Every structure is written in C-alpha cells, then in structure tokens.
Amino acid sequence: MSLLRRWVIPLVLCVTVFIAGCGEIQLPDSNTDTTTNTSNTDHEYPRIPVTLDRAVDGDTLKVMYEGKSESLRLLLVDTPETSHPKLGVQPLGKEAKEYTKQLLEQAKQIELEFDIGPNRDKYSRLLAYVYVDGVMLQESLLKKGYARVAYIYPPNVRYVDTFEAIQNKSKQQALGIWEFENYVQKDGFHPSEFEKKSSTTSAGTSGGKDSNSSNQNSTNGNSSTSGTGSSHGTSGSSTPPNNTCTIKGNINSKGEKIYHTTASRNYKSTNPETWFCTEEEAVAAGYRAPKN
C-alpha cells in the first residue's frame, strides 16, 4: 500500500502540471494586437502615400516617390498649358494650375494609384490617379471645368467612363473651358476660338448704344444691309441675316477660310464670322468648302 502511494501521488502531480501547461498555451494573450494593417485594404486598389514637391501645371506635379523627386502626369485628363515651349500660356491654364496647386499644398495626405498598364510615359514621368485627402484630383478638375478627358491609352483606362460622365455634366453647365464654344476640340485647346468668343461677348456687353443707333437707322430707312454682296449680317453673329443666306464663313486656327452649308457635318458646331447667300459668293470671298 505504501508502495502504491509512493507512485500514485507523483503521477497525479505530473498530470496536473501538464494539463495546466496546455491550458496556458491555448489561452489568448489579451495584450496581443491581432488586427491587420488596413492602410491599403480599405480601397479596391492599392494607394501609395507620397509628399508634394511642387505643382508644375494643372495636370502635372512633382512628388517625392521612393526617396527622390519625380515628375507625375495625371492619367486620362488634360488641362490648358501654362509653360509649354511651343504652346505657351493657354486660356484658363493659370486658373487650372492655381486650383491644383491650392488643393495639393493644403492637403493633409496625397496618395497615388497606378493602373494596370505602364506607370511611366515616354518622358519617364509617373502616370497615376492622384488622391488629395481621399478625393481624386482628376475628378475635381473635371467637375470644375478645368480639364478635359484625353490621352486614353488602354489598358490604363480604369476610370474613363466615370471621367466622361463628369465631363458631360460640366459641358452641360458650360463650366470653365466649356464656356467657350469650340475652344475644346478633339486635338486639344484652341486659343483662337477662345479669343473669338471673348471678343464677341465683350462686344455684346458694351454694344447696347450701338444697337440702339442701328435700330434707329433702320427705322429711318438707312439700313446698311443691301441684300446682295458676299458678306451678309454682322460679323461673328450666330444668327443669319435672313432665311436664304445661311452659309457660314469661318476662319480656323490655321487661318484657313472655310464655308459650311447646312449639309456640312460641322455646320451646327461652327461659330460663323460671316454669312453668305450662295457658295459662289463664299468662294469669291476667298473661302473654300470643308474637306470632309
């Protein structure tokens, strides 16, 4: 009996210690942080925090990326130029640059998101979507009417549909670059169209007295419109002088004189500088038909 006790008691003690040890291994440590870093997992696509070096243009900036200053071009948008070696300063370029500059300089956080294609262009600039305190800079520019959707090169087209929808709203509201007819075209910005529209607007604002004088002359039988000749109506007027003289005469950015009949593809979008009653009159005045 004494021999049994001598072996049983130590055996029970060993089993008890073993069980207690296993229990400690299975219990979680309340001081252990089991959460995951979600700095990027909160978003559908990874974002990379960067710091601003400086704003270069409305659509171009320099950021500190991987330890050095890198030039960055915003994907899928284009703003008027402010320092282009050939194009110089384009209308609303300074406004677009200042808007981008203020947003970036006041931001608490700037992040980049790359698309699935190349993340650099032929000039070695980074190509990315830029987030300013969580809001995409491209969308902000489009909403203000400071940018157009451009440079659509697959596969870097993740947000092109979203951008075009925003652009369409800005166009409908005639915001920024969209206030001036024909200033924005498929191949970029056309300052000559902007200046033409601006001068027409200025003339309309300050021409009340001239209009009254013209109306008085018409009343007295001194109308300056003869009904014949190569040029009819007021230069730059969007309304034809009568129902028969509906051919639009326009001078494009290259200085080419082109006339558009009602059958021309771009007739509705053309801002006329003068009107003609016949194609012969237009040709005689040095205008040609459109090539397409």
Side-chain angles (χ1 to χ4, degrees), residues 70 106 130 156 164 173 196 215-216 255 259 283:
E70 294 263 18
Q106 296 173 7
V130 175
N156 287 346
E164 287 181 340
Q173 297 172 25
K196 188 188 303 179
N215 289 337
Q216 186 173 357
Y259 70 83
V283 172

Side-chain angles (χ1 to χ4, degrees), residues 187-205:
D187 60 344
F189 301 98
H190 291 253
S192 60
E193 297 294 335
F194 178 94
E195 292 163 3
K196 188 188 303 179
K197 178 67 176 179
S198 297
S199 61
T200 302
T201 302
S202 299
T205 303

